[in-house]
Amino acid sequence: MLPPESPLGILLTAPALEQYGERILAAVEPLHPARLLCHHTDQPLSDEEIARVHVAYVSPELIGRHDEVDTERRPRAFQDELLRATHLAWLHVCSAGTDRPVYRQLHERGVTVTHSAGANALSVAHTALAGMLALLRDVPFWVRMQAERRWRTQRHEDSRPDLDGSTVVIVGTGAIGQALARSCQALDMRVLGVRRRAAPVAHFHAVYGHDQLDEVLPQADWLVLACPLTPETHHMIGREQMARLPAQARLVNVGRGPLVDEAALLHALESGRLAGAYSDVFEQEPLPPESPLWTAPNLLISSHSAGAVQGFGDRATARFTGNLQAWLRGDPMANVASF
């Protein structure tokens, strides 16, 4: 905790300072004096200014590409400032994911890292459900026929059973997984969850640990990935796991690209082992134009936009200010990242 007379230095980007600065100060100043420090991409803070940084906020405009190694100029410049800030004690990230290497670096240096899980959980869950329904009703076929101006009726015998009575396995039982589970239950689906350790979770009929994944996969008509990327979950779905799925199962990934071995996914789609897949995330982003995934059969693609929703910045910032007040009071903070 800072001495009472020492202002709390909060590092913000210029857009975040303009949009949220007054709100952040209003949340902090009743508890502690504060100073907002402004980061400019092309003008690093002086050594004197960077020494005053105790808290930093990775605001929405810094979240662009979601690569393992972020090469964009604006996020990289902010990350460089974070690494220079030797008095940085806590970093809040506007997204739910904290898998960028710089966050682990800071964590290993003793910086507390928190995130905004839940700020767009409903949006991601709704997008996952939209992907499921699009695959079930073969919406890509509609789009192709419309583009070709062809009237071609889908036949009952060529269609798939409805969602009710089918089983969905959701890997990740956090805010996104729970929101999706609630919707799937409302559609009379059997909902199974997989998380780090088995424990009951609301809206799931049963929940298993990661070590039981291979036992659960044969029950999955739908496999949805909504978990964080960690060393444990990297390529958790590969050729062996896809072989355990029932024939003609479908895969939905709204978590992180590297959760799935993309070569195995391509093989499963081309061989017909999977009836279809929807992915919002990929191992390399943007997905290169030459990637064979663009033309893989029955693969529906979106460009890491499942969580896009109006008001996201306000929601994420509210989580930041709530944690900021808890931190100043010495209370436990929400959404502390584990590495």
Side-chain angles (χ1 to χ4, degrees):
M1 188 63 64
L2 292 169
E5 68 281 0
S6 177
L8 176 69
I10 304 173
L11 180 63
L12 304 172
T13 64
L17 180 61
E18 180 179 355
Q19 190 166 2
Y20 306 116
E22 290 184 7
R23 187 184 314 179
I24 291 168
L25 280 179
V28 175
E29 289 190 326
L31 300 171
H32 197 97
R35 175 191 293 117
L36 301 183
L37 298 158
C38 186
H39 163 79
H40 297 279
T41 300
D42 298 314
Q43 185 179 349
L45 294 176
S46 67
D47 291 342
E48 182 181 355
E49 289 172 318
I50 204 70
R52 295 173 179 167
V53 173
H54 308 105
V55 171
Y57 177 36
V58 178
S59 44
E61 80 282 354
L62 291 171
I63 305 297
R65 288 172 55 180
H66 295 262
D67 300 315
E68 281 292 308
V69 179
D70 192 339
T71 57
E72 287 190 341
R73 187 171 61 92
R74 185 166 57 183
R76 172 60 64 191
F78 193 79
Q79 291 173 21
D80 289 345
E81 297 276 59
L82 297 177
L83 293 172
R84 289 178 58 215
T86 55
H87 294 129
L88 181 67
W90 167 45
L91 172 71
H92 186 82
V93 182
C94 70
S95 64
T98 54
D99 47 73
R100 290 184 174 182
V102 67
Y103 302 149
R104 179 177 292 275
Q105 280 182 264
L106 293 168
H107 170 76
E108 290 172 351
R109 205 177 77 187
V111 177
T112 299
V113 179
T114 58
H115 53 79
S116 299
N120 59 353
L122 272 178
S123 316
V124 179
H126 290 166
T127 302
L129 184 60
M132 293 169 66
L133 290 168
L135 290 171
L136 178 72
R137 305 310 304 169
D138 202 2
V139 172
F141 172 80
W142 303 355
V143 174
R144 290 196 304 273
M145 294 304 98
Q146 182 174 352
E148 296 173 13
R149 301 181 182 229
R150 293 175 58 192
W151 183 268
R152 183 175 169 188
T153 302
Q154 290 170 288
R155 304 181 63 83
H156 295 298
E157 57 268 27
D158 296 328
S159 301
R160 297 285 290 171
D162 285 331
L163 288 177
D164 60 297
S166 65
T167 296
V168 57
V169 172
I170 303 174
V171 182
T173 61
I176 295 169
Q178 290 178 46
L180 179 60
R182 186 168 62 247
S183 296
C184 289
Q185 276 207 0
L187 292 168
D188 294 325
M189 300 180 74
R190 179 169 170 253
V191 185
L192 306 179
V194 177
R195 65 196 299 269
R196 186 173 294 180
R197 295 179 183 83
V201 179
H203 312 300
F204 289 86
H205 292 105
V207 178
Y208 302 85
H210 280 177
D211 59 344
Q212 299 171 289
L213 176 63
D214 285 353
E215 302 169 31
V216 181
L217 289 176
Q219 304 178 59
D221 299 300
W222 297 88
L223 175 61
V224 180
L225 306 180
C227 59
L229 176 63
T230 67
E232 181 184 9
T233 61
H234 184 271
H235 278 193
M236 69 185 308
I237 304 300
R239 187 170 294 210
E240 181 181 341
Q241 288 72 34
M242 290 184 199
R244 291 180 178 272
L245 291 167
Q248 297 295 290
R250 292 175 171 88
L251 170 68
V252 171
N253 187 4
V254 289
R256 283 291 188 264
L259 299 174
V260 175
D261 179 340
E262 290 180 353
L265 173 62
L266 185 62
H267 178 267
L269 289 168
E270 290 179 339
S271 67
R273 187 69 185 74
L274 283 179
Y278 161 58
S279 189
D280 183 56
V281 287
F282 298 88
E283 295 201 66
Q284 182 179 351
E285 296 180 0
L287 186 64
E290 64 274 13
S291 171
L293 292 172
W294 286 111
T295 54
N298 300 316
L299 175 60
L300 189 59
I301 289 173
S302 58
S303 304
H304 206 139
S305 51
V309 62
Q310 288 187 11
F312 170 71
D314 290 338
R315 297 177 198 173
T317 302
R319 281 161 171 76
F320 171 53
T321 56
N323 261 349
L324 192 48
Q325 291 173 327
W327 187 67
L328 289 169
R329 292 188 182 112
D331 296 336
M333 290 191 292
N335 294 337
V336 177
S338 56
F339 294 88

